[in-house]
């Protein structure tokens, strides 16, 4: 699963994996487990570049695991090597699903979540700006798109399981 933070990758991914019998890995949670540090602390203390340097090898490991549904971090598509691997995986028949939501929906879902600011700008402005920059990247790697605006986890689960024939 790819998409912006707040699109539902973690919640939906866990539900889909359970329903379909896949192993589920949330890349952000896995990074925190492996480093023993919260992502917010990595951003605050070391900066985004340091976080991305930790994220890249993790994603390259996770995205090739068999029978595994991976919820990537929102910025996974910023790594050219990850995009290349996603294209390779898609060419081999693996589904790359973009969970898409509007900037307003994303900002509402993120508000109060404790997720680190990426730009230091007000949340609504930041989300709109980051979304505009990343949408073409998500579109370039996705084999499928599911809109999550105004949809519950159960509704997105139903859409995805129908899409996957599960």
């Amino acid at each position: 699963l790819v998409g912006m933070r707040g699109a539902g990758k973690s919640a939906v991914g866990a539900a889909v994996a359970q329903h379909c019998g896949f192993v589920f890995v949330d890349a952000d949670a896995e990074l925190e487990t492996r480093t023993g540090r919260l992502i917010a602390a990595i951003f605050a203390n070391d900066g985004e570049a340091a976080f991305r340097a930790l994220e890249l090898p993790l994603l390259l490991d996770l995205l090739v695991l068999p029978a595994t549904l991976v919820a990537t971090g929102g910025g996974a598509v910023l790594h050219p090597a990850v995009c290349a691997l996603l294209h390779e995986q898609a060419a081999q028949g693996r589904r790359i699903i973009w969970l898409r939501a509007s900037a307003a929906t994303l900002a509402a879902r993120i508000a109060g979540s404790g997720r680190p600011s990426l730009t230091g700008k007000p949340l609504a402005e930041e989300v709109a700006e980051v979304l505009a920059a990343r949408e073409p990247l998500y579109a370039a790697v996705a084999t499928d798109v599911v809109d999550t605006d105004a949809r519950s986890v159960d509704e997105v689960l139903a859409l995805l399981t129908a899409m996957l024939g599960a």
Side-chain angles (χ1 to χ4, degrees), residues 24 41 59 79 87 111 125 141 162:
F24 174 68
L59 288 168
H79 300 288
H87 285 294
E125 184 180 339
V141 299

Side-chain angles (χ1 to χ4, degrees), residues 5 16 44 47 62 69 75 86 90 104 111-112 122 141 153-155:
R5 58 188 176 146
V16 171
L62 295 178
L69 178 60
L86 290 171
V141 299
V153 170
D154 287 340
E155 290 169 324

Side-chain angles (χ1 to χ4, degrees), residues 28-47:
D28 286 345
E30 183 66 17
L31 183 80
E32 289 182 340
T33 298
R34 289 188 185 187
T35 63
R37 299 176 67 197
L38 296 175
I39 289 173
I42 296 169
F43 266 82
N45 298 322
D46 305 332

